[in-house]
Each structure stands twice: as structure tokens, then as C-alpha cells.
Amino acid sequence: MKTDILNRLKYSQGKDAENASVYDWRIALSLVLRDEMVETWFRSTKETYAASPKRVYYLSMEFLIGRLIEDMISNLGLEDTARKAMEELGQDYDTIVHDEPDAALGNGGLGRLAACFIDSLATLGIPAFGYGIRYEHGLFEQSFAQGQQVEKPETWLTQRHAWEFERPESQYSIGFGGHVDHHEGKAYWHPTEVVMATAYDTPVVGWRGMWGNTLRLWAAEPSNEFDLESFNRGDYLAAGRSEALARTISRVLYPDDTTESGKELRLKQEYFFTAASLMDLVRRYLRDHDDIRALPDFVAIQLNDTHPAIAGPELVRLLVDDHGLAMDEAIDLACRCLSYTNHTLLPEALERWSEHLMGRILPRHMEIIRAIEHAHQTEFPNSPRILEHGDVRMGELAFVMAHKVNGVSALHTELVKETVFADLHRIHPTRIINQTNGITPRRWLHGCNPALRNVINDQIGDGWVTDLEQLSALKAKRGDAGFVDAFSAAKRANKVTLSNWIGETIGVTLNPDAMFDVQIKRIHEYKRQLMNLLETVALWNDMRDNPNANWTPRVKIFGGKAAPGYFVAKDIIRLINDVASVINADEVTGDMLKIVYPPNYNVTMAERLIPAADLSEQISTAGKEASGTGNMKFALNGALTIGTLDGANVEIREHVGSENFFLFGLTAAEVMERRTHHGFARAAIEASPRLQRVLGQIAEGRFAPHDPSRYHGLVGMLYDHDYFLVTCDFDSYFDTQRRVDIAYRNTQNWASMAIANTASMGWFSSDRTIQGYARDIWNVHSLTSPKLEKSA
Ligand code: 26Q
């Protein structure tokens, strides 16, 4: 490996060992690993062609990957080799590995789920492609200026992305705008704007290099003839401008995780990558099949939310306009290929596009959507409309064009049936099914938590990495003092490591024996970071009132970004930082209470924080969090959850046992009921002196003495429009936190509860989730381990 690395340094980076930077060493090492993976990748491709099986195509606007180097090293089983090689070359292995920027091509849960899924598909040996966009700029970089979020463009691609292969031969022209002619029953779309989609492939190799799939991301480029006219006229500026315009399509990830404005560029992004992916998969299909009507037997297309929902009309367009099928037959065929995952019930997050915009950008698709609507209404008169109030409703479109629609946790799926899609569910009663989310144990235990991984391996070997249910063998070891000590020592070591990092990066000194209480996720009102902060202030008040009582020391850790236009969320960030400045400087509470909020939360930061957490905050308003996946990562790494009965919390609690989970708050049904009471928030505040005191302090400027009215708006909102019921759940949350305090002081019992969590999380592997999709939705099979399926 040393020779290989030196060769790569020389021939790919043009450097010798004396002049190489950390970056050069990292690229050299990455290229050596990539070479290694290519072998598996080729073999898998060959085997797939030979077997000609049904393939999965996972279409997602987002793949929130993070770093790849450690994944690649451990998937190839080269941890020791790589470390030793770098060290013998005089390089610090950890420095090199930590030099890789995150691929932050996603906003949060939905994007990270896609990344876990492609890992599981490869590990399970299921032939699959991930299709998405190769954003030049991923999710913005967050910093704080006087406590306020500042966004900067993210620049991962200014460095070489060592893992990808450009595929100039896989290019498609994607049209926009123009008009449609109809001749003798055939439609001809004449777009006015054409952009090229170029493929970039990243090999996705599963555990121990048994199987490799492809993540194919599309970059937008000007078409070759692009504005040749201006160029020939000598108007190079005009030519350059239109060239830049084409590239804007893949320039930047939209940083909202809830839809607001129907932005034209966003629609173009959605169509751009969906159309390129469908053309690509149809071309691949026709390379070894000649009957387009058999497409559903060989192709399963999963839509990750409605973002690629234009796939329905686009596939119909290809089948009708290019392959001569009749409209009704094309719709039926497309339906049998497509399935759709819903990730949200929030009404503001359900995509709608005005018919006017859709008709202008995609005139042929607008015709086809009307045909789909007509066909559905003819078959099911009075069914819910795809077209409503001048909008195309993408959820309804995706539902009607899919043979299966799935929710992402048991509770969420029931709510999908009862609320957003209630009427469509009555018409298609077997279409909606549940597939509870999962997480990949490779990244979220084996990779991020070597201390705990080693303790587990010493007890039960490493079979759990691909068969996470094996962790249940740890349940019996809860009485084994040696194991309990080792488990606790691993957590303690992770807390020390995190404390050092926090000290170095944000300059706050932490006590590793304090309880590490962590809430990391997008900042959103429904996730209720504000409730966590109010509880922190209330605890601080109690500590100051009675400083000599026997308090359980706590560190409150926050992480997360707010959408740039989401002003309430940004106020919450500022308040967290303002409160942190006051509390961290308080000598009365000192080590008993600290608040830290490291900026720019991302996948890599999650990998640092989760292994060091004692308490996981999963406190969303019941009925609002579709599933959550962070909740699973914490429990797997031995943190206890304080949470509501929402999303996958419900199932986590069932698996780990109610005695190992801190439950509080209203249920989804109670939430809906409570909202009907006039003045429910004022009533809740009046009934809670503790909450009144905290709100009073914030309102009168206790945490912003130079700008005392700063949080009037935020506090006023809680009194008058507390849509997410922060006030109603506050007391129950506070009291439960005090139970957590008491439990934490019994270190032996706490360790035993933590072990119960780790040991019970096997079911939440994304391998289990993917096996569910493979069986209930896709009807596809593993090419490496058909046996595995029978046991699932
Ligand atoms: C849509 C249109 C325009 C701009 C942005 C968007 C957009 C982008 C991202 C809308 C939604 C998202 C992301 C949603 C998301 O991450 N949902 C989460 O999905 C997870 C995986 O299923 C769940 O665990 C979380 O509960 C859910 O919030």
C-alpha cells in the first residue's frame, strides 16, 4: 500500500513526499482505496449483466453522505493496513482522514436516509443505482456572529472529489419550455432551452467489499451548440452568460426542508435529474431487452418524497411519445414501476406547483398530468384532484402514479392514512404501507464509535455489523460487572474526547462526568428546541435558588441549522446563544450547568456527538416528526431518550422497553384535541409558575440586556399562537427531566439502561428497512446472499 500511495502522490498529484500537503496525501490514499473498490465494482456489474435481474433505482434530490474515506477503508477491511502505511510514511493518519470535507448534498433526515439506504443496498448485494444531483455547493456553512446564524456558501467541490468518475459518454439533453405540436395523434415537444446532464459515478461498496453499486449524480452543463450564435458574432460575454445559466441548475442545494415558494429553478432541478435518470435507466434496459412493456419486471423506481414526482408524467411521456404506447397503457406501465415515500404531514411542506409555471416550463408534462387526472377521475369519479385551485399537487400526483406509497414509521403511516391521503386511501386501500426507517450500523456504530465497537466485539464478535439483531445477546450481559464497566468506560472515553474538541473549537471547558444532554437536528418550531431551552433556564433558576442542593451536573448540547428564510428558527438560535453566554459565565452554577452550541452541525459533527451522548432529546410535538433517525443513532450508541410518542420514538420505546425510555407529553390525538381549546397556551402558562418566571425573564431582556425587547416577538408567539404546544408540554417535560437527573445519579442502573438500549436496537438497522422495501414494494432479490432474505 505504501508503494501505491507514493505512486499516486507522484502520478496523480504530481508531488513527492517532501512537498506533499495533507490534501495531497489524502487524495493519494483515497485514489488507492478507489482502485481497490473498482475490482468489486466491476465484478458486481458483470454479475448483474449476467443475471439480468430486476434493479432498484432510488431517486432522491438529496444524498447527505458526509465523509467517505473511513467508510471506504472499513468496508474494504483495510483499517490497520491504511493506518500503518500512513504512519510508516511519516503521516498522521487521523489528520489525513479528517481532511476530507463532508459531501453535504442534503438538508437533514431525508437526505441522510438516502445515504444509509445506498449503503444497505450494497451490503445486501441488491443491484441498485442511486440517482441525484451533483450540487456544486451543498448545504450552506453556518457560523454565528453575536449569536446569530450567518450563512456562507459551502465549497466542497473546490477540492478534487476523489471518489467519483466523470462519464462524459453518459450525457442526455434535457429540455425546458417551448410548445407542443400535435400531428395525427402524436405529440411533438419543441423545447426552447436545452441543458446537458452529465453523469458522475461514485462506487458504493458494501461491507467487506462483497458488492458494489453506483451513486450516479448529474451535473448540468451547456449543450454543445449552446449559444453558438452569440459566440460566432463575437459576443463572448453573452455566450458566457447563457453558459453560466445552464450550470445554475446544479449549482446549489435548496436549503429549505419545508417547501415555501414554488421557485422556478427548483422545478427545473427536479425535472433535470428525474428526466436524466429515467432516460438513463430506459437506455440501460433497452440494451438487453426489446419489449418496453416488460419494463416493470426489471425496473423498480423509488421516489424519495415528491421531489422527483415528475417521474410519473416523464415516464409516460417517454412511453407514449418515444415508444408509441397508448396513454392508458403507458400510465399503467409507469405505475407498476413507480413507488413513493412520504416523509411529512406538515401542510406547508407538501409540494404544489402552479399550473401556469408547470405549463410554461414543461408544457408536454402539463398535458400528460391532465390525462392522468382524467384517467383517474374516469375510473374513480369524485376522487381527490391532482389539479386544484390552479395548482398541481405533487403528493396526489405521486400517489396516483405509484403502486405503493409508504410512510416512514408506524405512527406516521397511520396518520398518512387518516389525514393527507385519507380519501385516496379509501379508493386504493392496499396502496399505503409502512416501512419504518433505519440507520446503517456501519457508519453509526462501527465507524463513529470505535470504543464501544471494540467492547461489543470482545463480547459477541463482529457479526452484528451486518446482522444488527445479534446485539440482543448483550441483554444477558447486563449483570456482568466486567462488561458493564467496559461499556461505561467507552462512554466516558468518548465524553473526554468530545470535551477536548469542544474546548479546542469553542473554548468552553466541560466536565466529562456531567450528563451530556444532546439535541441535534434542523432548527424547527415543531422539533421544539425552544422547549429544551426554556427547561434549561428553569433548571438554572432552581439551581441558583438552591445552589447547595445535590444537583446532577448537565451539559446541554445543541446543533443544527435553520433555513435562511425561517426567521422564527433564527430567533431560536440567537436565544440559545444568548442564554448560553449568560449561563456559562455564571459562577453560582459553574460546572453544574453549561450550554454549548458548536456551529455548522453536519454528518461529521454527528459522528462526534452521538457516541458521547448520555441523553437524546426527541421532543417534537406528537404527530409532527414523521420518523426521526437521529433518535435511532443515539439509542444504538447507548444514550437514553427523553421523548414524546412521535414518529419512530414509539417503536424505539417498544423495542427498548418503557422502563428504559423517558416518556412525556401529549399524544398525537391529544395534541389535535387541545388545539381546539381557545386560549390553551395562556391557560398552560397560568398554571405553571415555573414557566411564567422563565418567559418573564426572556421577555424583560435578562439574556439580552442591551436590547431588552429582542425576544418580545418570540415570547408573544408562545402566548398567542403556540401551534406546537411548547407551553402545554412544558411541565411534563420539566418533571421528566428531574426524573432523568435522579436516574443518572445511579450510575450502575443508568449503565444497565444504556446497555438495554444498545442491545435492543437491532431492528432499526437500515438493512432491515431495505429488506422490507425489497420484499413489499420492489420485488427484488440479493445477488450475494439469497439466504439472508429467508431469515428476514
Ligand atoms: C421541497 C421543495 C422545495 C425546497 C425544499 C424542499 C424540501 C427539501 C427537503 C422539503 C423537505 C425536505 C426534507 C425533509 C425531511 O428531511 N424529512 C425527514 O425525513 C426523515 C426521513 O424519513 C424523517 O426521519 C424525518 O422525521 C422527516 O422530518
Side-chain angles (χ1 to χ4, degrees):
M1 188 177 238
K2 274 191 297 187
T3 322
D4 290 345
I5 293 171
L6 287 170
N7 278 332
R8 279 307 201 164
L9 202 59
K10 187 166 168 194
Y11 299 113
S12 299
Q13 290 303 102
K15 292 280 183 77
D16 57 24
E18 284 70 52
N19 298 307
S21 62
V22 169
Y23 170 72
D24 295 319
W25 284 110
R26 172 171 62 83
I27 298 293
L29 173 61
S30 303
L31 292 173
V32 169
L33 296 165
R34 193 180 73 167
D35 291 348
E36 206 60 47
M37 283 186 319
V38 165
E39 303 302 327
T40 300
W41 202 28
F42 281 5
R43 183 171 46 72
S44 307
T45 308
K46 279 207 194 93
E47 284 173 26
T48 308
Y49 274 103
S52 191
K54 189 172 183 181
R55 291 181 171 89
V56 175
Y57 294 98
Y58 196 81
L59 269 60
S60 179
M61 280 287 271
E62 307 193 356
F63 285 91
L64 185 44
I65 294 167
R67 287 178 185 149
L68 277 174
I69 192 161
E70 284 170 295
D71 247 29
M72 299 292 182
I73 293 173
S74 66
N75 279 351
L76 293 167
L78 291 174
E79 288 114 322
D80 297 339
T81 318
R83 184 176 285 275
K84 191 152 170 271
M86 290 321 288
E87 259 143 37
E88 287 180 18
L89 288 163
Q91 301 305 310
D92 180 48
Y93 174 81
D94 295 306
T95 306
I96 305 269
V97 163
H98 290 160
D99 180 62
E100 182 173 321
D102 271 37
L105 310 184
N107 275 287
L110 166 151
R112 184 53 235 175
L113 185 74
C116 284
F117 279 6
I118 57 173
D119 179 86
S120 284
L121 282 161
T123 293
L124 291 167
I126 295 174
F129 274 76
Y131 276 127
I133 298 178
R134 183 178 181 269
Y135 298 106
E136 198 177 316
H137 303 284
L139 187 63
F140 65 85
E141 247 178 67
Q142 177 197 55
S143 59
F144 298 135
Q146 282 88 46
Q148 298 185 81
Q149 170 170 295
V150 177
E151 302 100 24
K152 266 198 336 198
E154 184 281 339
T155 57
W156 73 301
L157 275 186
T158 51
Q159 302 188 342
R160 173 165 183 192
H161 184 49
W163 308 111
E164 70 186 3
F165 294 90
E166 188 181 352
R167 301 291 191 208
E169 74 282 10
S170 294
Q171 267 207 342
Y172 299 91
S173 351
I174 311 297
F176 299 100
H179 68 281
V180 183
D181 282 337
H182 289 268
H183 269 304
E184 294 168 358
K186 283 204 70 173
Y188 300 86
W189 175 24
H190 305 283
T192 45
E193 189 189 339
V194 172
V195 170
M196 302 306 291
T198 301
Y200 286 77
D201 287 349
T202 301
V204 182
V205 171
W207 185 245
R208 292 299 177 247
M210 294 282 280
W211 187 261
N213 285 324
T214 302
L215 173 61
R216 175 162 280 193
L217 302 180
W218 300 102
E221 281 167 20
S223 70
N224 291 340
E225 300 96 286
F226 206 83
D227 216 3
L228 201 59
E229 214 178 294
S230 317
F231 193 84
N232 288 342
R233 269 203 320 274
D235 191 351
Y236 303 123
L237 227 62
R241 263 198 303 276
S242 24
E243 191 175 328
L245 209 65
R247 296 189 198 280
T248 53
I249 292 185
S250 56
R251 183 92 69 209
V252 54
L253 166 79
Y254 270 91
D256 309 278
D257 60 353
T258 47
T259 322
E260 317 153 317
S261 48
K263 287 273 185 347
E264 178 172 331
L265 181 60
R266 166 82 185 186
L267 179 61
K268 283 184 163 178
Q269 288 186 332
E270 295 187 355
Y271 179 62
F272 165 78
F273 100 96
T274 304
S277 309
L278 290 185
M279 288 181 208
D280 195 47
L281 73 86
V282 168
R283 187 172 82 170
R284 182 170 307 106
Y285 170 77
L286 289 174
R287 277 210 293 252
D288 40 24
H289 301 269
D290 35 43
D291 181 10
I292 194 73
R293 289 180 169 82
L295 191 70
D297 298 333
F298 294 93
V299 162
I301 304 167
Q302 188 68 35
L303 307 180
N304 198 19
D305 216 290
T306 55
H307 315 152
I310 197 67
E314 172 66 5
L315 187 51
V316 172
R317 185 184 76 83
L318 295 176
L319 295 172
V320 173
D321 296 357
D322 295 359
H323 297 275
L325 265 63
M327 184 64 76
D328 285 352
E329 189 181 14
I331 293 175
D332 173 66
L333 216 132
C335 258
R336 289 196 281 133
C337 295
L338 293 165
S339 42
Y340 151 56
T341 305
N342 173 283
H343 296 269
T344 187
L345 302 167
L346 298 181
E348 67 272 26
L350 298 171
E351 280 193 295
R352 303 164 160 259
W353 296 102
S354 82
E355 284 186 50
H356 176 78
L357 179 65
M358 183 76 83
R360 187 160 57 76
I361 307 293
L362 301 170
R364 178 60 180 144
H365 297 78
M366 201 55 240
E367 292 182 353
I368 292 170
I369 292 169
R370 295 207 173 90
I372 293 169
E373 174 86 305
H374 177 76
H376 195 251
Q377 291 294 329
T378 308
E379 198 176 347
F380 306 102
N382 300 319
S383 61
R385 304 261 163 186
I386 300 168
L387 301 170
E388 197 202 52
H389 308 313
D391 283 339
V392 185
R393 300 199 292 172
M394 301 306 272
E396 282 70 12
L397 176 63
F399 190 111
V400 164
M401 288 304 295
H403 66 283
K404 284 283 182 262
V405 173
N406 77 284
V408 290
S409 71
L411 174 66
H412 169 67
T413 299
E414 287 316 301
L415 293 171
V416 168
K417 290 179 186 168
E418 289 163 15
T419 62
V420 262
F421 295 131
D423 294 329
L424 282 168
H425 174 56
R426 265 191 287 281
I427 299 172
H428 303 284
T430 57
R431 194 167 294 185
I432 301 178
I433 61 167
N434 179 244
Q435 296 295 345
T436 298
N437 285 167
I439 56 175
T440 170
R442 270 73 67 188
R443 183 176 292 259
W444 296 112
L445 180 51
H446 186 277
C448 72
N449 198 345
L452 182 55
R453 171 236 286 170
N454 293 337
V455 172
I456 295 173
N457 287 351
D458 287 346
Q459 292 293 324
I460 62 171
D462 71 355
W464 56 272
V465 178
T466 51
D467 179 13
L468 200 60
E469 300 270 15
Q470 288 186 22
L471 290 182
S472 66
L474 298 174
K475 280 178 199 158
K477 316 254 175 201
R478 286 206 284 169
D480 171 341
F483 173 67
V484 176
D485 286 350
F487 189 95
S488 306
K491 181 64 78 183
R492 178 96 188 4
N494 293 335
K495 291 171 73 175
V496 169
T497 308
L498 180 66
S499 305
N500 293 337
W501 180 76
I502 297 272
E504 286 156 24
T505 52
I506 61 174
V508 178
T509 307
L510 300 183
N511 167 13
D513 291 316
M515 184 199 312
F516 282 20
D517 167 342
V518 188
Q519 187 172 21
I520 44 176
K521 49 185 81 247
R522 283 300 280 257
I523 310 298
H524 207 293
E525 287 163 274
Y526 84 79
K527 297 179 188 277
R528 301 199 293 193
Q529 282 93 356
L530 183 54
M531 187 169 73
N532 184 353
L533 189 70
L534 299 178
E535 187 270 335
T536 310
V537 174
L539 173 61
W540 180 62
N541 287 334
D542 285 9
M543 285 177 165
R544 285 167 61 88
D545 290 349
N546 203 349
N548 297 321
N550 202 3
W551 297 104
T552 303
R554 277 216 197 213
V555 180
K556 287 271 188 177
I557 303 175
F558 292 88
K561 298 178 182 179
Y566 188 175
F567 298 106
V568 177
K570 289 181 135 179
D571 265 358
I572 295 171
I573 291 181
R574 191 179 197 185
L575 180 59
I576 298 172
N577 283 321
D578 278 348
V579 169
S581 313
V582 171
I583 292 185
N584 292 349
D586 183 5
E587 283 169 11
V588 177
T589 45
D591 248 12
M592 293 189 304
L593 188 60
K594 294 283 179 211
I595 303 177
V596 290
Y597 190 167
N600 204 38
Y601 173 66
N602 59 11
V603 171
T604 296
M605 196 189 294
E607 291 167 6
R608 291 181 193 285
L609 297 179
I610 290 168
D614 295 305
L615 187 66
S616 157
E617 298 271 354
Q618 308 300 336
I619 60 179
S620 53
T621 314
K624 293 293 168 193
E625 191 69 270
S627 160
T629 44
N631 47 3
M632 301 169 189
K633 295 163 195 168
F634 280 107
L636 180 61
N637 284 276
L640 273 67
T641 304
I642 181 165
T644 48
L645 278 181
D646 200 15
N649 293 353
V650 177
E651 290 150 90
I652 292 175
R653 180 166 169 268
E654 280 163 10
H655 277 85
V656 305
S658 59
E659 69 284 13
N660 300 309
F661 186 109
F662 294 98
L663 179 69
F664 75 94
L666 301 175
T667 63
E670 288 165 349
V671 165
M672 290 186 233
E673 200 271 333
R674 184 66 66 94
R675 284 212 187 98
T676 66
H677 294 217
H678 178 74
F680 64 83
R682 276 179 192 272
I685 296 167
E686 252 149 53
S688 171
R690 192 171 261 124
L691 178 57
Q692 274 169 45
R693 181 177 177 195
V694 173
L695 293 178
Q697 289 167 308
I698 294 172
E700 78 200 15
R702 178 73 178 78
F703 303 102
H706 303 294
D707 181 12
S709 62
R710 184 173 289 170
Y711 299 109
H712 278 183
L714 204 58
V715 173
M717 190 193 71
L718 286 181
Y719 276 87
D720 297 318
H721 320 278
D722 180 21
Y723 187 73
F724 297 104
L725 288 88
V726 167
T727 56
C728 306
D729 275 344
F730 177 83
D731 276 347
S732 145
Y733 178 57
F734 184 91
D735 295 342
T736 307
Q737 287 284 24
R738 303 294 71 80
R739 286 201 289 124
V740 174
D741 280 340
I742 294 166
Y744 188 74
R745 302 163 73 82
N746 184 343
T747 45
Q748 284 309 100
N749 193 248
W750 184 275
S752 166
M753 292 197 291
I755 294 168
N757 269 263
T758 299
S760 309
M761 286 300 291
W763 189 74
F764 295 91
S765 166
S766 49
D767 299 346
R768 183 271 309 156
T769 311
I770 286 297
Q771 283 172 315
Y773 279 79
R775 184 189 60 225
D776 305 336
I777 303 178
W778 302 328
N779 189 26
V780 297
H781 304 279
S782 166
L783 290 193
T784 52
S785 49
K787 279 196 306 277
L788 232 122
E789 285 168 9
K790 294 207 191 75
S791 64

